[in-house]
Every structure is written in structure tokens, then in C-alpha cells.
Amino acid sequence: PRRSGLEVLRMLRRQGGHADTKVLVITALGRWEIEEEVMREGASGYVHKPFDPFEVSDRVATLLEERRHVAVS
């Protein structure tokens, strides 16, 4: 990849209109420092590789449900 997920997350957060976009970071990096940094940069969640597809599906469903609740409020 030309950019890391963290770089893409930072770019997305700086762009107007994307501040509320839910972002689930999936990475092979397992260091807690990386997890802490992506969460501080505004990620909505974090999953380590290798990952369980059902876990990712559940996490995405949860993020979408949270988004629906915010939209209704």
C-alpha cells in the first residue's frame, strides 16, 4: 500500500464532511501503541489480523446501528 491506514484515517478526518464517518481499522500491527494512536485519531474501532470475518461483520453492524441512533436523535 502507498499509505498506511493511519495516514488515510488522518486524511479523512481532516477533510470536511467526514468528521462523523465511522472507521474500523483492520491491521496486522498488534502493538497497543498503534491501537491507542488510531483511536486517538478518531477511529471507531480496531481489529487485529488475522481476523474472524464474523467479528468484523458484528463490529460493522454495531457501528451502523450507532450511526442510526445518532441520525434519529
Side-chain angles (χ1 to χ4, degrees):
R2 295 173 197 231
R3 292 191 176 100
S4 72
L6 182 57
E7 290 172 316
V8 172
L9 176 61
R10 286 177 178 150
M11 288 172 42
L12 185 64
R13 291 298 181 230
R14 281 193 297 260
Q15 291 179 353
H18 296 289
D20 294 333
T21 301
K22 300 290 186 181
V23 177
L24 180 64
V25 175
I26 300 175
T27 183
L29 301 174
R31 299 185 316 241
W32 67 268
E33 298 93 355
I34 300 297
E35 181 176 356
E36 188 176 279
E37 187 171 5
V38 297
M39 297 305 287
R40 189 173 44 248
E41 291 292 334
S44 304
Y46 188 88
V47 176
H48 297 275
K49 290 181 185 177
F51 59 87
D52 176 357
F54 295 108
E55 176 189 1
V56 173
S57 178
D58 286 345
R59 299 281 293 275
V60 169
T62 299
L63 292 173
L64 291 172
E65 188 62 29
E66 288 173 6
R67 178 93 175 159
R68 275 189 220 107
H69 286 297
V70 170
V72 172
S73 299

